[in-house]
Every structure is written in C-alpha cells, then in structure tokens.
Amino acid sequence: MSLFKGSPYRRQDLEAGGGSRSGGFDDDDDAGEASSGPFDIGSTKHIPIERLRRWRQAALVLNASRRFRYTLDLKKEEDRKQTIRKIRAHAQVIRAAYLFKEAGDRANGTPLSLPIPSGDYGIGQDELASMTRDHNTNALQQYNGVKGLSELLKTNLEKGIHGDDDDLIRRKNIFGSNTYPRKKGRSFWMFLWEAWQDLTLIILMIAAVASLALGIKTEGIKEGWYDGGSIAFAVILVIVVTAISDYRQSLQFQSLNDEKRNIHMEVIRGGRRVEVSIFDIVVGDVVPLNIGNQVPADGILISGHSLSIDESSMTGESKIVHKDSRAPFLMAGCKVADGSGTMLVTSVGINTEWGLLMASISEDTGEETPLQVRLNGVATFIGIVGLLVALAVLIVLLARYFTGHTENSEETKKFIPGKTSASDAVDGAIKIVTVAVTIVVVAVPEGLPLAVTLTLAYSMRKMMADKALVRRLSACETMGSSTTICSDKTGTLTLNQMTVVEAYAGGRKMKPPDKGSLLSSMLSSLLIEGIAQNTNGSVFVPEWWGCRGFWISNRKGHSQLGHQGSISQIGMDFEAVRSGSSILYVFPFNSEKKRGGVAVQLPDSQVHLHWKGAAEIVLASCTRYINENDNVVPMTEAKVIFFKKAIEDMAASSLRCVAIAYRSYEMEKVPTDEEQLAQWVLPEDDLVLLAIVGIKDPCRPGVRDAVQLCQKAGVKVRMVTGDNLQTAKAIALECGILGSGADATEPYLIEGKSFRALSESRRLEIADKISVMGRSSPNDKLLLVQALKRKGHVVAVTGDGTNDAPALHEADIGLAMGIQGTEVAKESSDIIILDDNFASVVKVVRWGRSVYANIQKFIQFQLTVNVAALIINVVAAVSSGNVPLNAVQLLWVNLIMDTLGALALATEPPTDHLMHRPPVGRREPLITNIMWRNLLIQAIYQVSVLLVLNFRGRSILNLEHKTPAVASKEKNTVIFNAFVLCQIFNEFNARKPDEVNVFKGVTTNRLFMGIVGITLALQIIIIEFLGKFTSTVRLNWQLWFVCAVIGFISWPLAAIGKLIPVPKTPLSEFFTRKFRRRRDSQN
C-alpha cells in the first residue's frame, strides 16, 4: 500500500456509473455497494476498507490464517497508519523544539560547536544527521554553506565524488549505506504452523488419536495402529505439502517486492552522470533531481531552478514546498513536484527520517484481487453445500449404525444393542465422524481462492521475463478484462531515438539539415546557446560510436542528436557553451504549455531568454526571425504561412516538429531577490524564431503486429500524445491504429483542446470513436479515461510523466514506463513496463487473460471432483450405510485436487488462442456454460460408473467366488483407484475447456507433466504397497486395466461433449430471468 495518500498527484477516485457493458463500474461506486453482494467486487483499486471487511465476514473459512494470508491485513494496516502518524508527529515536535532552542541561542549569542572529524572526513555522521533532520540552517552556515560542507565530505559540487570502489566502501563504512533493516519474511515453520490451523484437520487429528488409542487397546500395537496412524499420516502429508507450496509462493512475492523497491537514479561521479541503484547512493554523492524523481536520501540543495518538493509522504500534508538557498534541506522519500536541481547527499538509510519510518512499519504486501474475492464467494457456496451434505451423511450413518442397519465386510451387523462393547461402539462412531469431517475437507475448497495467488505468483515471475513489473496483484487479472488501451506515442509506439532529418533556419530550408556552414554566425551562436542551455541533458561520445556522432543523455535515456554528428557539424562544444554563461531562471518543459524556457546571463551582462517546444505554439509567439544575412526581420504573413506549411509537411511525414526561439531582455527587469525570482513569469511574447527542426522517431519494430493482435482480441488501441495532430496521424497510420486515411477525420482523430471544450454528454458520445488524440494535455487524458470508464470500458493507460499520475491512478490499469517514467508516474501505476515497448503491454494482456483462463480450468477440475466424491459417498451412505471412499482416500483425493491440481493447472503458460477471443467481462460468471457442460458430463460419467461398481461391482468384476470381506475390499479398491485415475485423465481435459485437442502444447509444460507423473506414481505406490494405511488391497493387471479404461473413456467423452452447443446466455442469468418473470406474473 502506498504511503503517499496525501500527495497532490493522487486524485480522488472519480468512478462513474451508468455503464451497460460487462466491464462497467456501475456496481463499484458507493451507491452500488450497499445493494450488491459481499463478494460482488468489480475492482479493488480504490475500495473502502469497510467493503473489504464485509466479504471477509461473509466467507465460510476453515483456516482463516491461510485463506486470508495474501489479502490486506486490515488490523496491520490500521496499526501501520498509526505508527506513521506517531513518527511524523515525533519528527515535527523535535524540529519545532530545535527551532525554539536555535532562536534562544541566537538571542543569547551562544556559539555553535565545531564539526567533529570522522575518519578521513571533516565531519561525522551524527552532526550531518542532526543538521539535516532538524533543518538547522545555522549549522550549515557555520560549515560555510553547501560549498564548505562538500569540502568536509571531499566532494566536488560539479564533478561529484571519485566513485571508485575504495571511495564507496570507505563512505559506507563511516556514514552507513542507503538501506534500512527490514523485517524478515516468514520462515517455513511459520507456514507449517499456519497449515495446522485448519479446523477440519484439527478434528481429523483428534479423531486419528482417538482411533489410534482404541485400535491399540482392542487389537494390540502391531495391528491396531493402522487406522488412526494412516489418518494422522495423511493429515500430516496434506499439511507439509500445503506449507511447501505456500512457502514457495511467499519467496516469489518477496523477490518481486525487492525488485519494486530497487529504484535506479542518476548521480554525478567522476564528472559523469551514471545510473545506480538507490541502495548504492552514499553520503557525498551529487544527485541531479528532475520533476517526478524521488529524493533518494537526506541532503542539501546545491542549486535549483523552480524546484518544488511534495513532502506529503513525510508530513502527511498535501503541500508543495519551494526549495532554495533559504530552505535548502531535502528529505528522503519526498517527490520532486516541479523544476530541477542538484543535491548533496548528507544522510542515508537509517540515519534519515524516511529510513526510520520504513524500518518501523511492517510492509504488508497483501492485497485482494476481484477474482480472489469472487472465488471466496464460490468457495463459501460450495462449502455450505458440502457442510449440509456432510451433516446429512453423519446423521444417516450414525442412525443406521446404532439401529443395527450397518453391516461389515463379513455381512454381519456392526452394532448389536447390548452385545457390542462400548469401545467398539465408540470406534465405529469415530470412523463415521472421520468420514463426515473428511467430506467437509473435500467439499470446502480452501485451495480455490489460493489458486489465484498461485497463478498470480507464477504469472508475475514470468511477466518479469516479458519486461513487465507488477506493482499491484489485481492489475494482473484486470488486464485480461481490458477493452481499450490508451497509449503514449514517444518511446512506447516509437523507439525514442530522435534524429534531426529536416531543418528550417535563416528563413529557409537547410539542405542537408546538419550542415553547420550554412548557418550565419549570429544565428549559429544563438542556436548553440539555446540548445546547450535550454536542456537538462548532457552530451557525450560513447567509445563504441567513435567519431560518427554525439549522443544526449538525460533521464529519458539516450538519443542521437543529428545524423553523422549534428553537434559537431554546427560547431558546438557543449561544455564550453554551458560554462560560458550562467542560468538565471528555468521554466521547465511543461506538458500543458508544450514548451520550456531558460533565462541566461552572458559574460557581458546581456540576458537572453531561450524557448523551445511544439513548433506551431512557439511560432505563434514569434514576431520576428533571423534571415540568412544575420538580420532580425519582422515575421510577415507570407513567412508565417511558409513556416506553417513546413510544419504541416514535416508532421505529415511523421516527424516531431520543434521550434527554437529567443529574445533579449533587460538585466534591470530581472528580479534580484530570490523569492521574487522564484515567482517570475518568464516572458514568452515577442520572440525571434531561430529554427524549426523535424525530428524522426521511428516506430518500434513489431508494433504494427502488436496493435493488430490487440484489435483481433477485441482491445481497441488509442494513441494519446502531446505531439502535433498531423505527426500523430502519420504514426497512427504506420502503426495500424488508424486503418486508412478515411479514418483520419473527427471524431476518430481529435485535438486535446477540442475534446476538452466539449460538453460532458458530447464527450461520452464520441469517446468510443476516438482513435488518436493529438496535442493532448495530461488533463485531456484524464477526461478521456473518465469518459471511457463511464461508457463501461475497462481502461488501461500508459504514462511516463508526473502529470500523467492522475490518469494512471484513475485508469483500471495504470502502466508506467520503466525507462522514461518518473517515480511519481511509477508510484501511481499498477504495472511498470520495463522496456517502454508497446509489445510488452500486449504481453501483459495475454498474461492477464491467462490468469483468468487458468483459474477457470482449475475450477472446472475441482468442481468435478467435488460433485463426484460427494454424490458417490452420499448415495452409498444412505443406501448401504458404508462409504466406498474412506477418510485417508478422501484426503489423498483432496491433495490431488487442491494443491497438486492447482500447481498443474494454475501454471499453464498463455497461448495465442487467448488473443483470438473478446475480453472477459468483469461481471461475467466465473463458471461459464462451456464449463458447466464439461463438468456435468465428467461428473455424471464418474458417478454413474462408480455407483454401478459400488452396487454391482462383485458380479461385474467377477469377485463372487471370493469371500465377502476380500471381495468388498477389492471392489472398494477398484472404485478408489478408478476415481483417482479419472481425475488424472480429467486434468488433461481441464487444460483446454473449449478445444477438442487437449494435448496441444502439453509437452512444453514440464510442471504439468511432472505433477501428473508424480500423482500416478504415488497412486501406484498407495495401491500396491500402502494397503494397510489406505484400507486397499493389491490389484491384478486385469483390474488395473479396468481402472485405466474407466479413466481413459473420459478423453473421448470430453471430445464428444465439446460438440454439444451451449447457449450464450449464462445459466445464472437464465434462471434469474425465469425467476423475475414468475415474480412479475404473480405481481
């Protein structure tokens, strides 16, 4: 769960009703919660705690500690919030007390203490931590400010620390590492203890002990321990296998959580920007901060431009705090809300407030998913039926036993009033109770909700290999229901490798675009100045690139500027230009205004304001341009038309159009006071156009195929980009988002401002039709998401910027970009796409559908076992007073069904077949008509065959010549063996509920084949060698063949059954309609 609930990036949930489609949200808002059932939860993304409490209270649970292990621990969550509040309050009180003391010291003239050296450094960790934690500006001034502090820490403010291994180790040893002690995960023994908590298993163990004691008393220790001992052994086996399975899942989640915490950041070391893990940041590091970054440690601002920090994670208040030389202290865990800057790290890990906070709270990674909640509902319903059946069996068996209507294998009465001893009577009653309790174990599918966790754990691990890091479990399955994906363009559909291929400068088109000699001296000088200063990137020449080009490095990765080295061609020495003038003020690039600017002071005290941004927007602010003769001339109507035509032509060729402009400014008008400078609005009118460039950002290879795959799967892909509408149209046609030029008209193609200007009803009307939205702001994206959700869509949204956070948070599934994405965007997201590739988004859809499909396979398999086992035992108990499947046998069946079945079926990899059908509606029934058909065919077959064997087995199996006791044992062994083999064969049928060929791809799933092989091997061992424990006898090859044939028939039977058509209307809906009609007719 997030700690940043007070953050301004986290918008209130605006879920809307009124959808008519299956993915709609009309049941998820507050109005719908009161009327819907406790298990009817369509989305758990913004759900109130009270709603989560409701379904827990409604669930029938035999082992709460296991069933609710991976759900959110509501009590721990409350305790965690309380702890956070206490620590925040504690920190604020200490800070206030220190400020009070500091004011007193100033009034009394008390001198400050000198820094105490520590090792090779002129200051110790205690002084650093105290200064930053208490925001002690007096202490900072005493150390001669950030410059003096950097000297004490042996850091160069421009080049950073040396960063060699010895330097890093020394700093970690003296100042600590940027990690905090985390609570250890649960040990295997804890999982074993939790598996013991099952009420039915406890009853079975008590029964086993009682049976053991009575058996030893009546038959002696040599023979009397088998009955009780076998039940105890079976229960222990169930517990151990369950604990091993749960422990493995826990380890997978633990490794995924470690991956989520491992944020990568840029630091300056040895004069170069390098990317390191947040855990590797050390005291003395110089860290560049940009909008959306997380502050990685406590530190002091070196320099900043409009730097604003969101401190809600530490203070709990949604307040953006401006940082400058008067308020230079930065706290770990906060987010950069605006601007940019660099910081000097002064405290890391446990020496920061954030470290203390994280170390003192237990991070509860539990979170329920909609499917998990619905399966708890299914399990509760089945469990209630099972309990009623078990109770009926118990009453019937006890009544028949004590009235003398139950016979043993010698066909004599088991209980004769006045003759049967008390110990024999108690032993008989215990066996009956044991059978009834075991029916409950089989009937209540505890493993059903946990199968979701198993398949999610498996899917999450595999999705990591497919470049997707899942932050919220529920997003995994919700993605399978997504009906639309609103995707960014740059870096997601395209490669984000920018190359200048067209340029207009000096009032004309440059050929070639990177020929620096074509530029006049003044134009070249201003252009170089504007490019070098109006950026937060840096230029470097990779060794592998040689002399063929320069690359720009920034937080969004690397992109080549120009072709064959444009920077060198126009004569730019990047570092020399940057050091030749000083930056007065920065207006960071803004996705609302689509431009960014910088005020630069030259050595001769001239001030230049440089702007860059969307070509048509910057062009609209230009009143002049520099011609080929180095003269600044007015922008005529003809020239505006010329430049607009150039922009349109470049955009139509799928080029991104960027304009670069400047204006001179009077030094006297520039605010000198730091506070006034922070509030200064950089003039953006009366600009002089320097150049318009067309940048090629090619489509990613395979993106067209990925888009087509989505369209076949019933998922509409929409492009939402800040780029020019014509550029967006060209890329959309190239990617296949737009089928043809005929589609490229309103409302399929629309500008953000046009969409924004529409009324709410009109937005709802056209939202479905929109394929491309150009020149969109983050708010336009949010409006589109809200409109699509109101229309009943399940919406996935990709985003990378801080301003995308509201849309990512609002969407059903927020997909943040791993390379370009800011920390704010990532935190607001549900899944992080590690390679920023749209093809990876499509893989997430496949995995989402696979989760749902695997759960359905498991439900079909488990319910078949449930139905068959219950009916066989009930019919046999009522008719003869004996059950063919005893307690130990049922526990083995339960193990096959719950743990091994879940492992085999919940880990099936996704297939292309999943993408050839429409999305799964979130209100569609879990058990489809196809599943009911398959389930009933198999259950009816198994019940029919096994009941025939139960009542006519002696004659059919030719056992009449044997004694009744031997014949009965052999017949019951055949029934048990045939029943288990039916489940093994039926496991193959469950793999493909709607395909005739159930063996397709089976050999590639080694886990499935391994589990089937192990189950079969164990069954052979049980029958042939463990007869004393399971009350079975060895079977000859003819009876083994009969059992195998009974199991094998389920394959052709399933294939024939799949030819039977099923109605599209779900059975539940069919009965609901019938009930409504009857009620209406009565009314």
Side-chain angles (χ1 to χ4, degrees), residues 691-712:
I692 297 174
V693 294
I695 301 171
K696 182 72 176 171
D697 183 13
C699 279
R700 284 184 178 274
V703 77
R704 191 179 181 88
D705 293 338
V707 169
Q708 283 176 350
L709 190 61
C710 278
Q711 288 166 347
K712 280 181 190 170

Side-chain angles (χ1 to χ4, degrees), residues 639-658:
K639 217 62 188 170
V640 170
I641 293 168
F642 170 75
F643 284 129
K644 280 185 176 176
K645 178 75 168 59
I647 292 166
E648 284 172 15
D649 290 346
M650 287 191 285
S653 304
S654 72
L655 302 184
R656 296 184 76 181
C657 302
V658 176

Side-chain angles (χ1 to χ4, degrees), residues 855-1010:
I855 295 303
Q856 287 186 315
K857 291 170 189 176
F858 180 59
I859 291 171
Q860 182 182 305
F861 173 69
Q862 189 169 48
L863 289 187
T864 307
V865 184
N866 273 4
V867 171
L870 286 178
I871 293 174
I872 290 163
N873 269 9
V874 169
V875 173
V878 170
S879 58
S880 65
N882 284 315
V883 285
L885 300 172
N886 63 33
V888 177
Q889 292 167 0
L890 283 173
L891 283 170
W892 169 233
V893 169
N894 183 64
L895 196 63
I896 295 171
M897 182 179 74
D898 254 17
T899 311
L900 298 177
L903 265 175
L905 293 168
T907 55
E908 278 277 313
T911 60
D912 290 336
H913 178 69
L914 293 168
M915 297 298 282
H916 295 154
R917 58 192 191 198
V920 179
R922 290 194 300 195
R923 293 282 178 252
E924 280 181 23
L926 269 174
I927 308 171
T928 63
N929 289 357
I930 288 172
M931 291 167 67
W932 277 120
R933 178 195 64 195
N934 299 344
L935 187 159
L936 290 172
I937 287 170
Q938 293 297 327
I940 290 167
Y941 165 69
Q942 290 178 23
V943 168
S944 305
V945 170
L946 299 180
L947 284 178
V948 167
L949 283 176
N950 187 56
F951 296 115
R952 294 283 178 267
R954 285 173 68 177
S955 57
I956 292 170
L957 299 172
N958 198 22
L959 302 174
E960 289 169 323
H961 61 284
K962 298 187 178 180
T963 62
V966 173
S968 180
K969 260 199 167 182
E970 207 160 313
K971 177 198 72 176
N972 284 347
T973 302
V974 170
I975 290 171
F976 167 59
N977 197 33
F979 184 64
V980 170
L981 291 181
C982 276
Q983 309 324 317
I984 293 172
F985 280 92
N986 195 35
E987 222 159 341
F988 287 87
N989 292 331
R991 285 186 68 246
K992 308 280 182 184
D994 52 352
E995 291 181 57
V996 173
N997 182 7
V998 295
F999 307 106
K1000 190 178 177 184
V1002 72
T1003 51
T1004 58
N1005 190 347
R1006 291 179 183 174
L1007 185 61
F1008 179 87
M1009 294 302 290

Side-chain angles (χ1 to χ4, degrees), residues 1008-1024:
F1008 179 87
M1009 294 302 290
I1011 286 169
V1012 168
I1014 289 167
T1015 308
L1016 185 60
L1018 287 172
Q1019 180 64 14
I1020 293 167
I1021 291 166
I1022 285 167
I1023 298 295
E1024 295 299 313

Side-chain angles (χ1 to χ4, degrees), residues 604-619:
D604 58 3
S605 294
Q606 280 189 71
V607 174
H608 285 170
L609 310 182
H610 286 281
W611 285 94
K612 68 174 179 187
E616 70 273 24
I617 292 173
V618 174
L619 178 63

